[in-house]
Amino acid sequence: AISTRIDEYPTGLKIGCIDFAGGHSFKDWKMFTDYIEDLFFSLGCSKLEIAGRLGWLRLHTDKGFKPIYHVLRKELHAKR
């Protein structure tokens, strides 16, 4: 299961957020994150944030996420 939302700011900034995720085989979520990235980008988001425990950082460091107050944030770009 996963819970997502989009935060829209008066400046026009849109950030896609993954608030909660759970289930079996934690490492399988890494592949699912690619799908969510593409979805948020297609909806006009320029960043993706994952809120949660630091285990998410260990799983996603190689994908460009950085810890911001225990929230992981990544810039979204069109895929080549």
Side-chain angles (χ1 to χ4, degrees):
I2 189 167
S3 171
T4 64
R5 66 185 158 82
I6 295 176
D7 287 343
E8 294 187 57
Y9 296 89
T11 61
L13 175 67
K14 290 174 77 173
I15 299 177
C17 304
I18 298 175
D19 294 314
F20 305 101
H24 301 287
S25 190
F26 182 69
K27 292 187 180 194
D28 289 341
W29 285 99
K30 190 172 185 177
M31 180 175 52
F32 188 69
T33 305
D34 291 337
Y35 170 78
I36 295 293
E37 268 184 50
D38 293 341
L39 176 64
F40 280 141
F41 185 79
S42 73
L43 294 172
C45 297
S46 61
K47 300 180 188 306
L48 170 61
E49 289 184 349
I50 300 175
R53 60 189 185 86
L54 289 179
W56 282 106
L57 177 60
R58 287 190 298 276
L59 186 65
H60 288 85
T61 300
D62 66 325
K63 296 182 60 57
F65 285 92
K66 298 175 184 164
I68 309 289
Y69 301 104
H70 296 277
V71 172
L72 305 178
R73 179 181 284 170
K74 177 182 182 176
E75 301 286 331
L76 297 179
H77 305 281
K79 300 239 168 140
R80 296 176 191 196

